[in-house]
Amino acid sequence: MKGVLILCFHVLVLSFQAKAWQAVRNPFEFSKPPEKFHQVTDCMHVTSEEGEFFFKRTAPIVATPQHGRLVDVLGMAPVMEVCGIYFVTDPDKLVEVTVKRMDVNCDTGGLMSFVDGWELNGMYFPTEYDHPKSMEQRINEFCNDPKMWPYIPVRKAFRSSQNAALVQYRIPISGSFAVSVRYLHNPDPCNIMAEGVAPYYTLRNRGAYRNCSVTAVFPAVMSVVGMDVGGRKDGVNYDCDRPGVVDRLEIGGSSGLDTSNMDKSSTICGKSMEPGPEQGIFCGTSTARLISSGRHANQALVSVRVAEENDIALATVLCDMRRKKKK
């Protein structure tokens, strides 16, 4: 009888331990939600979502080489179009991209790249004048060497310097890739891609010699809600584009992502906590750019909203946003 009681006690202990372990284990199992999967079908895919992004191109049948290049059964040439997944998130976050799987053949002209920022029509955000890294450091290109793949691991990880990043790819015949994306906290945001949701954006140089900007890839109405730029205490000056004035806030627009030579609506310096006038930037890209010499701790709070048709009365910059017709 005593042996039976001891056996029952051991069973109860084991049962309790199993239940206790189950109670402890479950929170860890569900602390990380399952990764979301997104199949990419558009050549230009813009997203603010996290998860795994997958693309695949299949060539059903490939004929023998004709005139020095591969063609499919329909006689079509390889697809040499460069496509991209454009990531944008909250202003105070960074984009981390991990290449998990890749079948992009170097020998057939396949190529992938990670861009620290955005590229469109040969123009970049942020511009080379506003980014802490050189263009060589910002663009990483890679593909599979068919002589070594799949024996060499292809897992690569990249991290952006701001809330926007781009994965470009060119897969002429067939191939695929999968990238995992997550967004991380950025303790010092400088250049910001406006995602069209936040009404206000703060630009700070933190006393450093650098340029910071907020850029919207749409016609926008901008205004300065408050600012302290250039160490001046005599109010706000809306005409600071003159010799000797380095620290300033430029507001304007351009037809593309290159904002280094944008059409300016105003060039502002000084200090004020009173909202300034709204400025309608009717361009493909609208930008507020804080230029700092490093002699002052500059900051500006800028409001950004999408320009509507009835905002044309506020227009201070008008760009030619018509797309050039392809020949």
Side-chain angles (χ1 to χ4, degrees), residues 10-21:
H10 281 297
V11 169
L12 288 174
V13 170
L14 290 173
S15 175
F16 174 79
Q17 288 177 340
K19 290 180 180 179
W21 169 244

Side-chain angles (χ1 to χ4, degrees), residues 131-210:
H131 204 282
K133 298 180 181 179
S134 66
M135 293 306 300
E136 290 76 15
Q137 294 174 311
R138 292 173 59 186
I139 303 174
N140 295 271
E141 297 182 340
F142 43 92
C143 56
N144 292 115
D145 184 345
K147 300 180 181 64
M148 304 180 70
W149 181 85
Y151 304 105
I152 300 298
V154 295
R155 190 179 182 91
K156 301 174 183 291
F158 306 96
R159 189 173 293 179
S160 70
S161 304
Q162 63 287 309
N163 71 325
L166 167 64
V167 172
Q168 287 184 314
Y169 57 94
R170 182 183 66 209
I171 302 179
I173 299 174
S174 64
S176 64
F177 66 83
V179 297
S180 179
V181 177
R182 63 174 184 162
Y183 302 129
L184 310 175
H185 177 65
N186 181 7
D188 183 22
C190 179
N191 292 296
I192 301 168
M193 175 65 72
E195 77 283 15
V197 178
Y200 302 103
Y201 297 89
T202 302
L203 300 177
R204 293 189 182 95
N205 75 320
R206 301 186 184 275
Y209 170 56
R210 67 180 185 181

Side-chain angles (χ1 to χ4, degrees), residues 9-326:
F9 175 76
H10 281 297
V11 169
L12 288 174
V13 170
L14 290 173
S15 175
F16 174 79
Q17 288 177 340
K19 290 180 180 179
W21 169 244
Q22 187 74 9
V24 172
R25 183 178 56 182
N26 281 345
F28 286 95
E29 287 181 345
F30 294 101
S31 62
K32 183 179 179 181
E35 194 166 31
K36 296 180 180 179
F37 289 85
H38 312 275
Q39 185 173 1
V40 178
T41 57
D42 299 328
C43 184
M44 184 175 180
H45 185 87
V46 182
T47 181
S48 297
E49 295 190 83
E50 293 181 304
E52 184 169 305
F53 293 80
F54 175 77
F55 175 83
K56 184 175 183 179
R57 171 169 286 139
T58 303
I61 302 175
V62 176
T64 56
Q66 297 180 10
H67 306 294
R69 62 179 182 177
L70 293 176
V71 295
D72 61 22
V73 291
L74 299 177
M76 299 295 292
V79 180
M80 301 306 292
E81 186 177 29
V82 177
C83 297
I85 310 175
Y86 292 77
F87 298 99
V88 58
T89 182
D90 298 333
D92 61 345
K93 291 184 179 179
L94 304 174
V95 184
E96 184 182 77
V97 175
T98 302
V99 182
K100 300 179 70 174
R101 299 186 300 277
M102 184 176 67
D103 178 14
V104 181
N105 195 324
C106 303
D107 284 358
T108 59
L111 187 65
M112 286 188 69
S113 67
F114 171 83
V115 180
D116 186 357
W118 279 16
E119 183 275 334
L120 190 62
N121 297 326
M123 292 178 280
Y124 291 86
F125 165 83
T127 67
E128 58 182 322
Y129 306 103
D130 298 343
H131 204 282
K133 298 180 181 179
S134 66
M135 293 306 300
E136 290 76 15
Q137 294 174 311
R138 292 173 59 186
I139 303 174
N140 295 271
E141 297 182 340
F142 43 92
C143 56
N144 292 115
D145 184 345
K147 300 180 181 64
M148 304 180 70
W149 181 85
Y151 304 105
I152 300 298
V154 295
R155 190 179 182 91
K156 301 174 183 291
F158 306 96
R159 189 173 293 179
S160 70
S161 304
Q162 63 287 309
N163 71 325
L166 167 64
V167 172
Q168 287 184 314
Y169 57 94
R170 182 183 66 209
I171 302 179
I173 299 174
S174 64
S176 64
F177 66 83
V179 297
S180 179
V181 177
R182 63 174 184 162
Y183 302 129
L184 310 175
H185 177 65
N186 181 7
D188 183 22
C190 179
N191 292 296
I192 301 168
M193 175 65 72
E195 77 283 15
V197 178
Y200 302 103
Y201 297 89
T202 302
L203 300 177
R204 293 189 182 95
N205 75 320
R206 301 186 184 275
Y209 170 56
R210 67 180 185 181
N211 299 336
C212 297
S213 63
V214 54
T215 293
V217 287
F218 50 80
V221 175
M222 294 186 167
S223 65
V224 179
V225 179
M227 65 179 294
D228 185 356
V229 177
R232 298 179 55 161
K233 307 299 181 183
D234 55 349
V236 174
N237 189 331
Y238 277 80
D239 185 23
C240 297
D241 192 8
R242 57 182 185 271
V245 179
V246 178
D247 297 71
R248 60 190 186 273
L249 178 70
E250 298 179 342
I251 294 179
S254 55
S255 57
L257 288 180
D258 187 0
T259 60
S260 58
N261 294 309
M262 65 182 179
D263 295 330
K264 297 175 187 175
S265 170
S266 59
T267 307
I268 318 167
C269 56
K271 181 177 181 178
S272 175
M273 296 305 294
E274 298 293 329
E278 289 189 317
Q279 304 175 52
I281 314 299
F282 284 81
C283 298
T285 300
S286 309
T287 297
R289 188 165 177 247
L290 181 63
I291 300 176
S292 302
S293 65
R295 296 193 296 267
H296 308 281
N298 298 321
Q299 58 181 330
L301 180 63
V302 182
S303 71
V304 180
R305 65 177 177 86
V306 178
E308 300 176 354
E309 187 176 352
N310 57 2
D311 289 321
I312 194 67
L314 302 173
T316 53
V317 176
L318 289 169
C319 298
D320 186 0
M321 295 183 290
R322 294 173 298 178
R323 293 182 179 180
K324 295 181 179 180
K325 295 181 179 180
K326 294 182 179 181

